[in-house]
Structures are given as structure tokens and as C-alpha cells.
Amino acid sequence: MNLGSRIKELRTEKRMTQAELGRVIGVTKVSISGYENNTRQPDNSILLKLAGYFNVSTDYLLGKSNNKLSLSNGSAPVNFSVAKQSIPVYGMIHAGEPTFADQYIIGETPITDKIIDKYGRDNLFALQVDGDSMSKVIAPGFIAVFAKDCEVENGDICAVLVDGENATLKRFKETSKAVILEPESFNPIYKPLIFPKNIDQDFRILGKYVFATSLLK
């Protein structure tokens, strides 16, 4: 099954019109029609929004997998009716204040028992993505869930405080001479942040990326 067929199938299961789905995702009815007819391809941010809205993986949407619940792409298809627990979502994590300040909580997102059993509920936090520096992986506005106290390895995505600014998302890479925090964006303005090991490193890793979701209440 191809992308267009998947979108149409999921939309009709929800008894939605193309116009209704377009309003939810932020595109026109014509765009939804083009996706379903395979005459137009959604960009990565729209694909992630579709996957998040329908609670399926992007692999499933693209027809690469028949398993809706695949977590291979880092998205977690879960909803509030299935998940028994939730964790707070922060609108920002601000340097210079208590790391997880209650005044920045904007809601909650559901967490499955499987994720809680693996990482521990108190070891998880969620951050609403602001900006597009990681838009190839996580769409702006999505909720990214992280695990604290996890060893961050080369290639992992992490939430990090840099130079006293608010928390941001970057891919962590380490060489013998430096730590590199790399963006993965469709926007070319973002450049890697490089921290040579022979000087003080003004960054702090808050947590390792687990999955992203669009669900917030």
C-alpha cells in the first residue's frame, strides 16, 4: 500500500473529509487530495504531523511497514484512552532557573507502560519543540519526550542547554578533539555547535530523546 492509500484509509476510518483533515494538519483540501492521489508529496514536517495525528509510524504511512505501532522512526503511536499515565510537557526549559520549573508546564502527554517500565516515570520529561533546527526529525510544535540520566552516545538526539540559553534539540557527536551538536533541518541557516575539549564546555545535556508525539492536553 502506498502513502496516498494509507492517508485515505486512515482519514475514512475517522470519518473525516479531506477539508477537515487539511484544517487539522494545516494544509488545504487540494493538498490532501494530492497526497491521496499520489500527485503531490507532503514534506517531512507534514508527514510527521499526519503520523502524529493518526497515531501511526511514518514507516506505516509510507507503506514500508504494516505495523502501525512500529517505533523505528522515533514516534510513539499512543493516545490518552490507551495510556494509563502521563508526564508534564514544558513549553521551555530555561537556563539559570530550577531546571524543570513548574511555571513552564503547558500540559501533559500520554506515556505507555512499556516506556515507563524501561526508563521510569520520574526519569522522563517532555518538551514542546520550538523552532525548526531539527525539522528533518521532529516537526515544530510536536512534543519530544526525553529520558534523564541516560548515557548519551554518538548519534543520539538530546535536549541540551547551550551558553545559558533555553533548552534546544541537537544530535550529539563526539570526536577525540571536540563535542559537536548538530542540527538536522530543512532550513540551511542552522550550523553545528562545536565545543573543543581543551576549553571549558558551556553546555549541559538534559536528556536523551525517546520519541515524539503530537498529543498534548
Side-chain angles (χ1 to χ4, degrees):
M1 189 174 284
N2 57 38
L3 173 64
S5 299
R6 290 287 199 213
I7 294 173
K8 184 175 182 179
E9 175 187 65
L10 292 164
R11 175 179 61 79
T12 53
E13 283 178 1
K14 284 184 171 286
R15 298 182 179 178
M16 300 179 74
T17 65
Q18 291 178 338
E20 288 170 338
L21 178 58
R23 283 194 292 272
V24 170
I25 302 302
V27 299
T28 65
K29 174 182 179 294
V30 172
S31 293
I32 298 296
S33 177
Y35 303 156
E36 293 185 356
N37 293 322
N38 293 302
T39 59
R40 178 179 295 190
Q41 291 293 311
D43 63 26
N44 191 69
S45 64
I46 297 300
L47 187 66
L48 287 170
K49 286 182 180 180
L50 287 165
Y53 178 72
F54 289 122
N55 292 325
V56 298
S57 69
T58 53
D59 282 349
Y60 180 81
L61 266 186
L62 293 168
K64 296 179 180 180
S65 170
N66 290 323
N67 183 3
K68 290 184 180 182
L69 303 184
S70 169
L71 300 182
S72 62
N73 71 319
S75 65
V78 58
N79 58 51
F80 285 102
S81 64
V82 174
K84 297 178 181 178
Q85 300 188 62
S86 60
I87 60 172
V89 176
Y90 294 86
M92 69 169 63
I93 296 175
H94 198 284
E97 298 185 30
T99 303
F100 299 99
D102 288 348
Q103 67 262 35
Y104 295 128
I105 294 176
I106 61 172
E108 296 182 335
T109 195
I111 299 292
T112 62
D113 290 342
K114 182 178 180 180
I115 296 293
I116 289 174
D117 289 345
K118 183 174 181 178
Y119 296 101
R121 186 183 185 280
D122 292 340
N123 202 40
L124 294 166
F125 69 94
L127 179 66
Q128 186 171 47
V129 178
D130 179 23
D132 60 350
S133 68
M134 292 295 290
S135 59
K136 288 184 178 181
V137 182
I138 310 167
F142 265 49
I143 309 303
V145 175
F146 299 88
K148 311 172 195 173
D149 302 326
C150 283
E151 182 179 354
V152 177
E153 300 176 349
N154 254 335
D156 284 342
I157 295 172
C158 58
V160 58
L161 289 171
V162 179
D163 293 335
E165 298 293 334
N166 295 342
T168 185
L169 277 64
K170 293 291 184 287
R171 192 173 294 279
F172 176 89
K173 293 189 177 179
E174 185 174 15
T175 69
S176 60
K177 295 183 178 180
V179 169
I180 304 167
L181 302 176
E182 291 191 340
E184 290 191 15
S185 178
F186 293 106
N187 188 336
I189 68 168
Y190 297 101
K191 306 299 180 186
L193 302 174
I194 301 174
F195 298 88
K197 290 185 175 180
N198 60 353
I199 63 173
D200 290 339
Q201 300 188 9
D202 192 10
F203 70 89
R204 176 186 168 200
I205 293 175
L206 300 175
K208 179 178 177 178
Y209 173 68
V210 180
F211 70 87
T213 177
S214 63
L215 298 178
L216 174 69
K217 74 171 183 180

